[in-house]
C-alpha cells in the first residue's frame, strides 16, 4: 500500500527532474512538510495519473492521424462523406463522462477532507493563532500565550495549528506552500485555516493576492520548532520583546514591510477584534 | 480667480501626470520605459497622421472605412484594432518576463508600481481589446457570408459597437501619455480599487475603458444573435449552419447574458468612487465578495465567449484542409450548446479560497470538470474529421493541430485546478497564470490566427505568404512552450503571480527560459507583420480573385475574393450543410443567374464614429474629473442618437446594371482561371478555382 504512492510520486517527478532545475520545486508542495500538504500532494498524483491516461490518446492520435492521412500519402482510404459512427460517438461521450463521475467522487471526498476549516485530527489541542494581513506584512497574535509577532510564525512541530485570519486593509491571501493551501483574509470577516508541520524546519509563507507596491516583500518564515523548544521560544518572546502599545497599533496601518521580524512580549487580549472593528470604520 | 478656473477646466491634471515630466524629474529606468512608451504612442500617432495626409487618404478613410456600415469593413477594422492592441500587450508581457528574470534578489529595471500597471494593462488589453475585437471582427466578416446574408441585422449599431470598442481602447492608450493606468489587475478587485487604496486616475481609466468595451460587446451580441436568427438565406436551417455560425450564435448569447454583470460591477465600483457609495468598500457595510461574484459571473462565460469562436474556426479549417465533411456535426452542435449553458455554472471556481463551505466548492468543482466532457468531444470530433481524409498542412491547419495538442495540456491542468484542494495551492500563483495562458493562447489566439490565414484571401483577394506564416507559427508554438511551461514549475514551487521581484535564486533558470520564450513570442508577432508586408508586396502573384483558394465548403467561398459590397448578387438558396462543396459537384457554381436586380444597402453613417469619439471624450472627462467635458460628451451622444432617428435617407441602391458588370467581371475571371488540384494550393498556381474531384 505504501509503495504505490511512493512509486507514483517518483514517476510524476521524473519528467521534472529531467528538466534540471528541480531545486525550485523544493519550495513547493512536492516537498511537503505537514499532513495537509502531504494529502494535497497525494491528490495531485492521483489526479495527474488519471489525466495522463485522459490526455494521452489525444496527444498520440492527433499527430498520428494527421500525418498518416496526409495528402501525399496515397496508400490510405479516402472517404470524404464519412462523418458519423455510433461506436465512436459512444467512445467519445461515455468514457469521459465515466471518468468525470469517478473524479467527482474523489473531488467531493477530498474537498471535504481538505476543507481548510476542518480541524486536524490529533491527540493535542491545536495551537490557536490569529493572523492579520496588513500592508505589507503579517501580524500573528497568539491569544493563549498573549504574545504577538510580525512576519514570523513560530509553531511547534507535530501539533496542529488553527489560524483565524482577517485583513486590516485590502483582501489578501495567506499561502504556506509546504504546509497547506491558501485562504483569503478579508476585512471585517474571519476565515480559518488548519495546518501542521510534521517536522521542525523553516518554511516560506506569503501573501499571494496583489495589494500594492510592497506586495512582493510580503513574505515571512514559518519556523516549526521541536515540541520541547516551543515553550522556550514563548518564554524568550515574553522576556526579550517589548509590549505591544498604542504606537505599535498605529504602526500596523503604515504601509511598510519591516526589514526584520518583530516580537511583542505581550499583546492586548482583544487586539484581533480591535483590528476588525477599526478596518470597517468610516474612511478606512 | 485662476485658482478656480484651471482646476475646473483641467480637473485632476497636473504636470506630473505626463510621463515625460516624471522621467525628467526622476530619470530612472522605470520612468524612462514609461516615457518611452508614451513617446511611442505620440510619435506613432503623428507618423500615421502624417502618412495619411501625405497620401491624401483622409477623405478615403472617412468615407470608405470609418463611416462604413458594411459588416466586412467593420470586421476588418476590428481586426486591425486587435493587432495594434496585441502589439502593445505582447510587448508588456515581454517586459514583465524581462523584469522578473532580472529581479532575482535585485530590483530589476521596472519599479513595483509600474510593474503593476504592466500586468493590469496586459490583462485588460489582451481580453477586452485584443481577444474581443479579434473574434468580433472575424464573426463580423465571415458569419453574414456564411449564412448567405448581405449584412448584419443592425448595420449602424454594428458601427456603434466598433467605435465604442475603439474609444475604450483609445482610453487605455491615452493612459500611457496622460496619467497612469490601474494597478488593480484586469479583474480590478475592490477594496484595493476603491478610493481609499487607489485614489489616482488609474482605476478610473480601467473602469471606463472596460465599461465602454462591455457595452459595445453587449450590443454586438444582440446584433449577431438577431442576424443569425432572422437573416439566414432560404434553406439555411439551424442544423445546416456552418459550425462557425453555431459558435458565433452561442458566443452572442453568452455576450448578451454575461456582459451586463460586468457593466453592473464596474458601474457600482464607479458609484463607490465618484458618489461615495459603499457597495464594495471596507466601511459602512460594503462587501467586496459581491464584486467577486458579479465579476466572475461575467468572467467565466467570458472565457467561452473567447474560446467558442475559435472552436468554430477549427471546425471549418480541419474539415476544409482534410477535404472531408466534419465528423459528428450534431455532436459538435450539442457540445457547443452544453458548454454555453455550463459556462454559467462554474464561476465560483475563480475564488475557491474565499472560505465558503466545502459543499459549495465541491459542487462548483464538479461542474467545472463537467465542461471537460463536451470540450473533449470536440477535440475527438476534429481528430475523426482528419481520419480517412486528405490532410494538407497549411498554416491554418498547423495552428489547428498545435491547438489540439496544446489545449489538451491546458485542460489537464484545468482539471487539476477544478479540484478545490489543489486550487488552494495553485490559486494566485504562476501555475494559474500558466494554465490560463495555456488555454487562451491555443484556444483563442491560435484559433484567431488560423481564421486570419484561412479567410484573409477571401477578404483581400490574395493569399498570405506561406514561408513567413510557417516561421511565425513555429515562433508562436515554441515561444508558448518556453514561456509558459516554466511558469507551471514556478507556480508549483509557490511563486505568487504579479510579483515584481523574486527572492529565490533557484527560480532563476526557469525565469530565464520563460524570458527567452517571451522574446520568441515577440518574434512571432514580428513575423506576422513581415508576412503581411511580404504578402502585400507579392500580391499580384498570389491573387485568388475567383474566390475559392482552399476548395471550400460554405457559401463564403462561392463569391469573388474580395466579395462585392452586396456579397451575393442573388441571395442563395441552400439544401445541405456544405452548399458550395455540393454545388461544385452537382452543377456549375459559376453560372450567371437568370437576371440581376437592384440591390438596396444601408448608406454610410457617421453615427458610429461620432458616438465613439464623444464617448471617449466623456470617459476621459470622467477619469480626470473634467466635468464639463463629461457632461458635454454625454449630452452630445444623446443629440447624435436623436439626430440619427430623424435621418430618412439611410439606404442606397446599386443598380442591376452595375451588379451585372461586377458579377460578369468576376465570372469571366473564374472562367479564365485554371482549376488546381490541392497539391498546388500553396503555390502561385492557385487562382482561387478548385479542381473538383469526388
Amino acid at each position: 500500500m505504501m509503495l504505490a504512492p511512493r512509486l507514483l510520486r517518483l514517476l510524476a517527478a521524473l519528467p521534472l527532474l529531467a528538466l534540471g532545475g528541480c531545486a525550485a520545486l523544493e519550495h513547493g508542495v512536492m516537498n511537503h512538510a505537514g499532513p495537509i500538504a502531504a494529502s494535497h500532494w497525494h491528490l495531485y498524483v492521483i489526479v495527474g495519473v488519471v489525466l495522463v491516461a485522459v490526455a494521452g490518446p489525444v496527444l498520440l492520435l492527433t499527430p498520428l492521424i494527421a500525418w498518416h492521412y496526409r495528402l501525399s500519402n496515397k496508400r490510405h482510404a479516402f472517404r470524404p462523406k464519412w462523418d458519423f459512427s455510433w461506436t465512436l460517438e459512444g467512445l467519445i461521450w461515455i468514457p469521459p463522462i465515466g471518468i468525470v463521475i469517478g473524479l467527482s467522487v474523489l473531488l467531493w471526498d477530498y474537498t471535504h477532507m481538505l476543507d481548510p476549516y476542518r480541524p486536524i485530527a490529533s491527540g493535542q489541542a491545536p495551537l490557536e493563532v490569529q493572523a492579520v494581513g496588513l500592508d505589507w506584512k503579517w501580524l500573528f497574535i497568539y491569544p493563549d500565550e498573549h504574545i504577538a509577532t510580525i512576519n514570523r510564525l513560530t509553531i511547534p512541530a507535530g501539533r496542529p495549528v488553527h489560524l483565524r485570519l482577517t485583513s486590516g486593509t485590502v483582501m489578501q491571501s495567506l499561502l504556506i506552500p509546504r504546509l497547506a493551501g491558501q485562504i483569503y483574509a478579508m476585512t471585517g470577516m474571519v476565515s480559518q485555516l488548519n495546518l501542521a508541520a510534521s517536522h521542525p524546519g523553516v518554511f516560506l509563507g506569503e501573501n499571494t493576492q496583489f495589494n500594492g507596491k510592497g506586495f512582493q516583500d510580503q513574505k515571512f518564515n514559518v519556523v516549526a520548532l521541536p515540541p520541547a523548544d516551543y515553550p522556550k521560544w514563548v518564554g524568550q518572546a515574553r522576556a526579550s520583546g517589548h509590549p505591544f502599545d498604542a504606537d505599535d497599533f498605529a504602526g500596523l496601518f503604515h504601509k511598510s514591510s519591516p526589514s526584520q521580524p518583530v516580537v511583542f512580549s505581550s499583546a492586548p487580549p482583544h487586539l484581533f477584534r480591535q483590528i476588525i472593528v477599526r478596518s470597517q470604520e468610516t474612511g478606512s | 480667480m485662476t485658482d478656480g478656473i484651471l482646476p475646473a477646466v483641467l480637473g485632476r491634471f497636473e504636470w506630473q501626470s505626463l510621463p515625460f515630466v516624471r522621467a525628467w524629474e526622476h530619470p530612472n529606468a522605470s520612468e524612462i520605459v514609461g516615457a518611452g512608451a508614451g513617446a511611442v504612442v505620440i510619435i506613432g500617432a503623428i507618423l500615421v497622421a502624417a502618412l495619411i495626409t501625405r497620401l491624401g487618404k483622409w477623405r478615403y478613410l472617412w468615407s470608405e472605412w470609418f463611416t462604413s456600415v458594411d459588416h466586412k469593413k467593420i470586421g476588418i477594422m476590428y481586426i486591425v484594432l486587435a493587432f495594434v492592441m496585441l502589439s502593445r500587450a505582447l510587448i508588456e508581457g515581454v517586459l514583465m518576463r524581462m523584469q522578473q528574470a532580472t529581479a532575482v534578489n535585485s530590483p530589476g529595471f521596472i519599479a513595483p508600481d509600474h510593474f503593476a500597471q504592466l500586468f493590469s494593462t496586459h490583462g485588460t488589453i489582451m481580453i477586452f481589446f485584443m481577444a474581443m475585437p479579434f473574434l468580433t471582427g472575424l464573426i463580423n466578416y465571415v458569419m453574414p457570408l456564411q449564412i448567405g446574408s448581405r449584412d448584419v441585422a443592425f448595420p449602424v449599431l454594428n458601427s456603434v459597437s466598433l467605435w465604442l470598442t475603439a474609444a475604450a481602447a483609445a482610453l487605455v492608450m491615452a493612459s500611457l501619455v496622460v496619467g497612469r493606468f490601474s494597478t488593480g489587475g484586469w479583474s480590478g478587485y475592490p477594496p484595493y480599487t476603491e478610493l481609499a487604496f487607489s485614489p489616482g486616475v488609474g482605476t478610473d481609466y480601467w473602469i471606463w475603458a472596460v465599461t465602454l468595451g462591455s457595452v459595445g460587446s453587449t450590443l454586438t451580441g444582440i446584433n449577431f444573435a438577431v442576424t443569425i436568427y432572422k437573416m439566414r438565406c432560404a434553406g439555411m436551417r439551424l442544423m445546416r449552419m456552418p459550425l462557425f455560425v453555431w459558435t458565433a450564435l452561442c458566443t452572442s448569447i453568452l455576450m448578451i447574458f454575461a456582459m451586463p454583470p460586468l457593466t453592473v460591477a464596474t458601474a457600482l465600483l464607479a458609484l463607490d468612487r465618484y458618489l461615495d457609495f459603499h457597495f464594495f468598500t471596507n466601511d459602512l457595510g460594503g462587501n467586496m465578495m459581491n464584486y467577486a461574484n458579479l465579476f466572475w459571473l461575467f468572467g467565466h462565460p467570458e472565457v467561452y465567449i473567447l474560446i467558442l469562436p475559435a472552436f468554430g474556426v477549427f471546425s471549418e479549417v480541419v474539415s476544409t484542409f482534410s477535404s472531408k465533411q466534419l465528423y459528428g456535426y450534431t455532436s459538435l452542435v450539442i457540445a457547443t450548446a452544453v458548454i454555453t449553458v455550463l459556462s454559467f455554472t462554474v464561476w465560483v471556481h475563480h475564488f475557491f479560497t474565499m472560505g465558503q463551505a466545502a459543499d459549495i466548492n465541491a459542487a462548483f468543482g464538479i461542474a467545472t470538470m463537467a465542461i471537460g466532457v463536451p470540450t473533449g468531444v470536440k477535440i475527438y470530433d476534429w481528430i475523426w474529421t482528419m481520419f480517412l481524409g486528405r490532410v494538407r498542412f497549411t498554416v491554418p491547419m498547423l495552428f489547428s493541430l498545435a491547438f489540439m495538442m496544446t489545449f489538451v495540456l491546458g485542460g489537464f491542468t484545468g482539471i487539476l485546478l477544478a479540484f478545490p484542494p489543489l486550487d488552494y495551492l495553485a490559486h494566485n500563483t504562476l501555475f494559474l497564470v500558466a494554465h490560463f495562458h495555456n488555454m487562451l493562447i491555443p484556444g483563442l489566439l491560435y484559433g484567431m490566427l488560423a481564421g486570419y490565414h484561412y479567410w484573409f484571401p477571401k477578404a483581400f483577394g490574395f493569399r498570405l505568404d506561406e514561408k513567413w506564416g510557417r516561421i511565425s507559427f513555429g515562433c508562436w508554438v515554441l515561444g508558448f512552450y518556453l514561456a509558459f511551461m516554466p511558469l507551471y514549475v514556478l507556480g508549483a514551487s509557490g511563486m505568487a503571480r504579479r510579483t515584481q521581484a523574486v527572492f529565490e535564486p533557484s527560480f532563476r533558470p526557469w525565469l530565464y527560459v520563460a524570458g527567452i520564450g517571451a522574446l520568441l513570442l515577440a518574434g512571432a508577432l514580428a513575423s506576422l507583420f513581415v508576412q503581411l508586408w511580404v504578402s502585400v508586396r507579392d500580391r499580384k502573384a498570389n491573387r485568388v480573385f475567383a474566390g475559392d483558394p482552399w476548395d471550400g465548403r460554405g457559401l463564403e467561398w462561392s463569391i469573388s475574393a474580395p466579395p462585392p459590397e452586396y456579397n451575393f448578387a442573388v441571395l442563395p438558396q441552400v439544401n445541405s450543410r456544405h452548399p458550395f462543396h455540393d454545388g461544385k459537384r452537382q452543377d456549375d457554381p459559376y453560372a450567371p443567374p437568370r437576371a440581376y436586380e437592384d440591390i438596396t444597402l444601408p448608406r454610410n453613417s457617421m453615427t458610429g464614429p461620432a458616438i465613439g469619439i464623444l464617448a471617449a471624450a466623456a470617459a476621459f472627462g470622467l477619469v480626470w474629473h473634467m466635468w464639463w467635458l463629461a457632461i458635454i460628451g454625454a449630452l452630445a451622444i444623446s443629440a447624435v442618437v436623436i439626430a440619427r432617428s430623424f435621418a430618412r435617407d439611410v439606404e442606397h441602391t446599386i443598380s442591376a446594371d452595375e451588379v451585372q458588370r461586377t458579377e460578369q467581371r468576376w465570372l469571366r475571371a473564374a472562367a479564365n482561371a485554371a482549376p488546381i488540384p490541392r497539391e498546388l494550393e500553396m503555390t502561385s498556381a492557385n487562382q482561387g478555382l478548385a479542381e473538383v474531384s469526388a
Side-chain angles (χ1 to χ4, degrees):
Chain A
M1 264 320 274
M2 280 312 291
L3 196 68
R6 205 169 284 177
L7 248 177
L8 289 177
R9 191 181 310 176
L10 210 74
L11 276 177
L14 264 178
L16 296 170
L17 280 174
L19 283 170
C22 55
L25 286 164
E26 283 175 13
H27 304 281
V29 67
M30 240 176 92
N31 189 20
H32 46 83
I36 298 288
S39 303
H40 281 298
W41 179 243
H42 186 69
L43 179 61
Y44 241 115
V45 173
I46 299 174
V47 182
V49 169
V50 172
L51 289 179
V52 167
V54 172
V58 173
L59 294 177
L60 289 174
L61 280 175
T62 305
L64 279 180
I65 289 190
W67 184 245
H68 180 75
Y69 289 99
R70 67 192 182 277
L71 180 61
S72 56
N73 180 6
K74 299 294 182 196
R75 287 171 306 164
H76 66 69
F78 175 52
R79 293 176 60 194
K81 290 197 177 292
W82 176 82
D83 68 356
F84 191 75
S85 146
W86 276 111
T87 319
L88 284 178
E89 283 301 291
L91 273 175
I92 62 179
W93 279 99
I94 298 167
I97 290 176
I99 291 169
V100 165
I101 291 174
L103 284 176
S104 299
V105 174
L106 187 75
L107 183 145
W108 187 270
D109 284 352
Y110 266 88
T111 304
H112 286 82
M113 193 174 97
L114 290 173
D115 181 0
Y117 282 43
R118 187 183 168 115
I120 298 173
S122 163
Q124 306 178 63
L127 172 71
E128 293 290 335
V129 180
Q130 297 159 336
V132 184
L134 297 157
D135 286 335
W136 295 291
K137 54 198 167 272
W138 288 95
L139 169 71
F140 298 103
I141 307 163
Y142 297 69
D144 298 331
E145 283 84 354
H146 308 293
I147 58 171
T149 61
I150 289 178
N151 279 358
R152 167 73 45 96
L153 176 59
T154 305
I155 58 172
R159 183 175 162 194
V161 179
H162 177 230
L163 284 174
R164 288 160 57 79
L165 300 98
T166 192
S167 167
T169 167
V170 300
M171 184 173 91
Q172 312 207 354
S173 191
L174 184 120
L175 174 64
I176 307 164
R178 292 185 61 194
L179 296 184
Q182 67 199 292
I183 193 97
Y184 288 160
M186 292 173 286
T187 309
M189 291 171 261
V190 178
S191 48
Q192 302 177 43
L193 185 64
N194 287 280
L195 53 86
S198 48
H199 56 79
V202 179
F203 315 109
L204 179 82
E206 60 188 336
N207 166 28
T208 62
Q209 178 73 37
F210 182 80
N211 62 341
K213 63 182 175 188
F215 166 68
Q216 63 282 343
D217 302 322
Q218 199 176 346
K219 313 241 185 278
F220 62 95
N221 279 330
V222 181
V223 182
L225 294 172
D229 290 0
Y230 179 73
K232 284 187 216 160
W233 173 79
V234 173
Q236 256 173 16
R238 284 183 183 143
S240 61
H242 82 275
F244 187 94
D245 57 29
D247 286 347
D248 293 315
F249 188 79
L252 293 180
F253 302 96
H254 291 160
K255 294 188 183 232
S256 63
S257 302
S259 53
Q260 291 295 319
V262 183
V263 178
F264 299 106
S265 61
S266 75
H270 300 298
L271 181 54
F272 193 62
R273 195 76 244 156
Q274 257 178 296
I275 293 172
I276 292 177
V277 171
R278 184 201 179 274
S279 309
Q280 296 178 87
E281 277 168 6
T282 311
S284 66
Chain B
M1 196 60 191
T2 46
D3 276 6
I5 290 171
L6 266 185
V9 174
L10 292 177
R12 298 196 262 180
F13 178 84
E14 51 187 37
W15 287 113
Q16 279 71 21
S17 303
L18 298 173
F20 318 106
V21 176
R22 292 201 295 268
W24 180 261
E25 287 177 353
H26 309 280
N28 57 47
S30 194
E31 291 291 0
I32 290 169
V33 169
V40 167
V41 173
I42 293 180
I43 295 171
I46 292 174
L47 280 181
V48 169
L51 190 68
I52 296 171
T53 310
R54 199 185 144 82
L55 296 174
K57 292 285 188 190
W58 279 113
R59 182 176 296 278
Y60 163 77
L61 275 179
W62 178 258
S63 59
E64 291 296 317
W65 289 89
F66 296 165
T67 57
S68 173
V69 296
D70 180 347
H71 70 97
K72 299 185 287 300
K73 286 181 175 166
I74 289 179
I76 290 168
M77 285 188 278
Y78 263 117
I79 292 173
V80 170
L81 175 68
F83 271 115
V84 171
M85 299 311 280
L86 171 63
S87 307
R88 171 176 168 193
L90 198 146
I91 291 169
E92 289 174 333
V94 174
L95 277 177
M96 286 189 283
R97 288 278 128 255
M98 296 300 118
Q99 163 65 17
Q100 286 191 339
T102 54
V104 182
N105 283 322
S106 106
F109 62 99
I110 291 176
D113 192 59
H114 191 178
F115 187 82
Q117 290 180 60
L118 284 179
F119 68 67
S120 303
T121 42
H122 173 81
T124 305
I125 291 176
M126 283 298 195
I127 298 289
F128 295 107
F129 306 116
M130 187 288 282
M132 294 297 277
F134 213 141
L135 69 92
T136 308
L138 215 50
I139 295 175
N140 242 315
Y141 196 92
V142 175
M143 181 269 287
L145 297 181
Q146 286 195 326
I147 62 171
S149 166
R150 291 208 173 111
D151 208 326
V152 293
F154 309 115
V156 176
L157 188 68
N158 202 14
S159 164
V160 171
S161 298
L162 165 72
W163 287 102
L164 282 178
T165 310
L171 214 52
V172 181
M173 295 309 271
S175 76
L176 275 181
V177 183
V178 197
R180 299 161 198 262
F181 198 71
S182 172
T183 56
W186 86 278
S187 54
Y189 265 24
Y192 179 74
T193 47
E194 292 285 358
L195 274 186
F197 300 98
S198 302
V201 293
T203 310
D204 300 315
Y205 266 126
W206 178 83
I207 286 177
W208 299 115
V210 169
T211 306
L212 289 183
S214 67
V215 171
S217 294
T218 311
L219 299 177
T220 297
I222 294 169
N223 208 343
F224 286 167
V226 175
T227 306
I228 296 171
Y229 286 135
K230 305 298 281 186
M231 299 187 62
R232 281 168 287 138
C233 65
M236 177 73 73
R237 295 194 215 123
L238 285 176
M239 289 307 276
R240 282 184 187 158
M241 298 195 307
L243 233 287
F244 182 74
V245 177
W246 266 110
T247 56
L249 176 61
C250 289
T251 281
S252 311
I253 294 171
L254 286 175
M255 282 181 185
I256 296 168
F257 288 101
M259 299 317 281
L262 173 68
T263 315
V264 169
T266 52
L268 296 183
L269 186 58
L271 286 175
D272 279 5
R273 290 178 63 89
Y274 283 83
L275 296 174
D276 204 23
F277 281 55
H278 294 84
F279 287 108
F280 313 123
T281 56
N282 280 344
D283 60 345
L284 293 171
N287 191 332
M288 60 74 60
M289 294 199 290
N290 293 330
Y291 180 91
N293 279 283
L294 274 174
F295 185 84
W296 292 111
L297 209 51
F298 141 79
H300 202 85
E302 168 71 10
V303 172
Y304 292 94
I305 292 176
L306 300 180
I307 285 179
L308 286 181
F311 285 178
V313 173
F314 295 130
S315 303
E316 304 289 319
V317 164
V318 172
S319 165
T320 300
F321 292 111
S322 303
S323 300
K324 199 161 156 285
Q325 259 160 244
L326 197 59
Y327 172 86
Y329 175 91
T330 313
S331 237
L332 278 166
V333 171
I334 294 173
T336 306
V338 169
I339 291 174
T340 307
V341 174
L342 283 181
S343 72
F344 282 103
T345 66
V346 299
W347 79 92
V348 170
H349 74 211
H350 294 272
F351 44 90
F352 276 151
T353 51
M354 211 178 245
Q356 57 273 30
D359 286 354
I360 295 176
N361 277 352
F364 278 90
I366 290 169
T368 304
M369 288 200 298
I371 291 197
V373 174
T375 313
V377 163
K378 284 178 165 245
I379 303 252
Y380 278 106
D381 281 340
W382 296 318
I383 293 179
W384 300 131
T385 300
M386 297 190 292
F387 181 66
L388 294 174
R390 282 182 183 158
V391 180
R392 291 111 64 187
F393 297 100
T394 55
V395 175
M397 192 64 191
L398 290 174
F399 274 115
S400 307
L401 293 169
F403 151 78
M404 285 154 77
M405 313 221 3
T406 312
F407 197 73
V408 163
L409 299 177
F412 184 123
T413 55
I415 299 272
L416 284 174
L417 287 165
F419 274 74
L422 301 183
D423 180 76
Y424 300 156
L425 283 163
H427 184 62
N428 272 346
T429 69
L430 288 184
F431 193 93
L432 180 78
V433 174
H435 163 73
F436 66 69
H437 284 89
N438 197 166
M439 298 315 264
L440 288 176
I441 291 182
L444 173 101
L445 193 64
Y446 289 4
M448 293 301 111
L449 291 176
Y452 165 72
H453 282 85
Y454 181 57
W455 282 302
F456 185 94
K458 174 52 62 181
F460 294 98
F462 55 93
R463 286 180 306 110
L464 283 167
D465 187 74
E466 281 289 325
K467 187 185 82 181
W468 278 100
R470 279 158 200 274
I471 292 172
S472 176
F473 164 79
C475 291
W476 281 118
V477 173
L478 193 63
F480 165 77
Y481 279 96
L482 288 179
F484 292 102
M485 291 298 140
L487 301 198
Y488 278 124
V489 178
L490 290 167
S493 310
M495 181 171 162
R497 69 193 289 200
R498 297 176 172 174
T499 181
Q500 175 263 352
V502 181
F503 301 101
E504 182 47 62
S506 62
F507 291 175
R508 190 178 278 138
W510 299 103
L511 290 167
Y512 283 169
V513 175
I516 293 167
L519 289 173
L520 262 178
L521 290 174
L525 182 65
S527 312
L528 275 185
F529 289 131
V530 172
Q531 182 201 34
L532 188 61
W533 174 262
V534 170
S535 309
V536 171
R537 191 192 61 197
D538 301 342
R539 64 188 177 279
K540 288 219 169 65
N542 295 317
R543 286 224 195 276
V544 290
F545 180 54
D548 181 26
W550 316 123
D551 192 7
R553 314 178 74 81
L555 289 176
E556 79 268 36
W557 303 110
S558 69
I559 51 179
S560 67
E565 188 190 354
Y566 48 82
N567 296 351
F568 300 93
V570 175
L571 287 179
Q573 180 155 13
V574 301
N575 50 17
S576 83
R577 267 176 208 157
H578 356 78
F580 184 55
H581 175 269
D582 295 352
K584 281 185 279 189
R585 279 147 185 85
Q586 283 156 7
D587 45 22
D588 180 13
Y590 300 102
R594 254 176 260 137
Y596 291 101
E597 285 175 2
D598 290 355
I599 294 174
T600 304
L601 290 172
R603 195 185 277 287
N604 282 7
S605 164
M606 54 185 290
T607 310
I611 288 182
I613 291 166
L614 293 169
F620 190 80
L622 283 169
V623 169
W624 286 95
H625 295 185
M626 301 172 184
W627 307 120
W628 59 274
L629 186 58
I631 292 167
I632 292 176
L635 290 176
I637 289 174
S638 317
V640 168
V641 173
I642 292 168
R644 166 72 197 176
S645 70
F646 283 95
R648 297 278 181 84
D649 184 23
V650 293
E651 286 177 336
H652 74 116
T653 301
I654 303 175
S655 70
D657 285 348
E658 196 185 334
V659 173
Q660 182 167 15
R661 275 197 301 280
T662 312
E663 290 296 302
Q664 277 176 347
R665 193 168 74 87
W666 167 59
L667 290 173
R668 266 199 306 278
N672 291 331
I676 51 130
R678 289 304 98 202
E679 282 83 355
L680 297 179
E681 72 185 340
M682 289 180 251
T683 68
S684 302
N686 189 348
Q687 293 170 283
L689 193 68
E691 184 181 280
V692 175
S693 58

